[in-house]
Amino acid sequence: MTVQYIRENIPHLRVPESEATYLLWVDCSAMKMTDEEIIEFWKNECGIIPSGGLEFGEAGSQYVRLNLTCLSFYHFYYKPISYIFRHCLM
């Protein structure tokens, strides 16, 4: 459900397929920001504090990891998050 929502409403993000997990990896490379800027954007604009992909090695650059069990993550189900991505990144 979350992956489908992101794919349909936030085209700047890519989400790889995963099975049976509460952790979601999100490719943020289309945001055209540094790894630090990506984390700050999520924190300041979306109110969500993700784990930065670099915490898991160089291959994690430009990715964030979201914990779907955190209550704040459910902001994704409201229009403001998709609005933020559409209007701040164009």
Side-chain angles (χ1 to χ4, degrees):
M1 185 160 97
T2 303
V3 172
Q4 180 181 350
Y5 179 86
I6 293 172
R7 288 179 177 164
E8 291 175 1
N9 295 284
I10 311 173
H12 290 88
L13 304 178
R14 291 190 306 264
V15 182
E17 289 294 330
S18 59
E19 294 182 23
T21 183
Y22 59 91
L23 298 171
L24 182 69
W25 286 93
V26 181
D27 178 352
C28 301
S29 59
M31 294 173 69
K32 307 290 186 217
M33 297 179 180
T34 66
D35 288 286
E36 289 179 2
E37 291 170 335
I38 290 169
I39 299 298
E40 289 302 308
F41 179 87
W42 280 85
K43 185 171 71 173
N44 297 329
E45 301 297 330
C46 303
I48 297 172
I49 301 174
S51 297
L54 281 177
E55 293 178 36
F56 305 94
E58 283 297 316
S61 180
Q62 299 294 298
Y63 280 80
V64 296
R65 187 180 77 169
L66 304 174
N67 184 331
L68 301 179
T69 63
C70 293
L71 290 178
S72 65
F73 187 78
Y74 289 97
H75 288 297
F76 261 114
Y77 295 106
Y78 299 102
K79 290 183 181 177
I81 293 295
S82 56
Y83 175 87
I84 288 167
F85 274 92
R86 281 197 304 271
H87 291 87
C88 291
L89 299 175
M90 294 192 150

